[in-house]
Amino acid sequence: CLWTLAAVIKEPLKDALVPRAGVLKKLLAPLDAVLEGFYNAILRHHFDSHHYTSPYSEATNNLISFIDLLEALLASRIELELPLRCQRILFLKVSYVLNLISSSIPYVIKKKLILLLKKCVLYKSREDAKSGSLFLQTPSLCEDMLALSNAVLQVVSLTWLNQIPLSGKSSYFGSSEAAPGDDSQGGSDQTVLRALSLVVLKALEFKIHNSAEAEIK
């Protein structure tokens, strides 16, 4: 069901002749509360259980399908002048995603979530993209980016980054030491390293542009 819904959301985005806003609103508006409920229920789940130890388990595949759905909702957001709650939830409740990244889920899911965060910090509404301004003009997006930035900076000021692996095996953020019992000498995943760094820098940049001088210091 998750895969089908993601595919249906993506389909109008491929066709320039389709009135995308109308189609997406008709599809998503009745599901708005349901999708927010999915987000809360799925991402607040206890992911340290044995069901998620294998990257090939059914539970892991279901979670990957849900992340694909979140990506589709983010991509569809640009089509609606006033985004629905289900298209904003990833920004407003990003703490669930941050907690999930630092849990013991398989590396493939952590990487997908980090790359999804990167898409969030680089996201611009159609109006902001047209204006070419470095500062966001759309009120809802500005509010969402501030919520995301606050959450990211809050966990970064703690020990969150130290818990993020930079490869499927041995390399961690800020360290190339092998994990206990791991004899391999694999290098860092440069894609994840760049994405994580960009997420932190963009969060800091947006926070600085929207804070008083005393708070910035």
Side-chain angles (χ1 to χ4, degrees), residues 80-93:
L80 299 185
E81 192 173 332
L82 291 173
L84 297 165
R85 178 80 179 177
C86 64
Q87 295 170 308
R88 302 180 63 192
I89 195 71
L90 182 57
F91 294 83
L92 299 176
K93 294 187 178 179

Side-chain angles (χ1 to χ4, degrees), residues 36-93:
E36 182 175 359
F38 270 7
Y39 186 91
N40 294 336
I42 292 174
L43 296 192
R44 286 175 70 182
H45 184 69
H46 184 64
F47 288 101
D48 294 323
S49 72
H50 67 279
H51 296 296
Y52 295 91
T53 53
S54 167
Y56 308 107
S57 68
E58 183 180 356
T60 300
N61 283 331
N62 288 341
L63 188 52
I64 288 173
S65 293
F66 186 65
I67 297 169
D68 289 340
L69 175 59
L70 292 177
E71 287 180 355
L73 288 170
L74 178 65
S76 69
R77 175 176 176 150
I78 198 168
E79 301 299 334
L80 299 185
E81 192 173 332
L82 291 173
L84 297 165
R85 178 80 179 177
C86 64
Q87 295 170 308
R88 302 180 63 192
I89 195 71
L90 182 57
F91 294 83
L92 299 176
K93 294 187 178 179

Side-chain angles (χ1 to χ4, degrees), residues 108-191:
V108 62
I109 298 180
K110 292 177 188 273
K111 183 170 183 175
K112 275 186 76 72
L113 287 170
I114 289 167
L115 294 177
L116 179 58
L117 284 180
K118 176 187 168 185
K119 288 181 181 178
C120 287
V121 298
L122 293 177
Y123 178 83
K124 281 191 174 184
S125 69
R126 185 165 283 147
E127 292 74 19
D128 289 320
K130 280 180 183 174
S131 72
S133 171
L134 293 175
F135 309 106
L136 299 177
Q137 311 295 325
T138 313
S140 62
L141 183 56
C142 197
E143 180 187 336
D144 294 355
M145 287 295 287
L146 192 56
L148 184 145
S149 299
N150 284 334
V152 167
L153 294 176
Q154 190 173 358
V155 295
V156 166
S157 67
L158 302 173
T159 59
W160 184 77
L161 282 177
N162 298 331
Q163 302 169 51
I164 311 302
L166 289 182
S167 77
K169 292 190 177 291
S170 61
S171 187
Y172 279 70
F173 197 100
S175 168
S176 57
E177 294 177 9
D182 185 4
D183 298 327
S184 64
Q185 295 296 319
S188 301
D189 185 332
Q190 296 300 305
T191 302

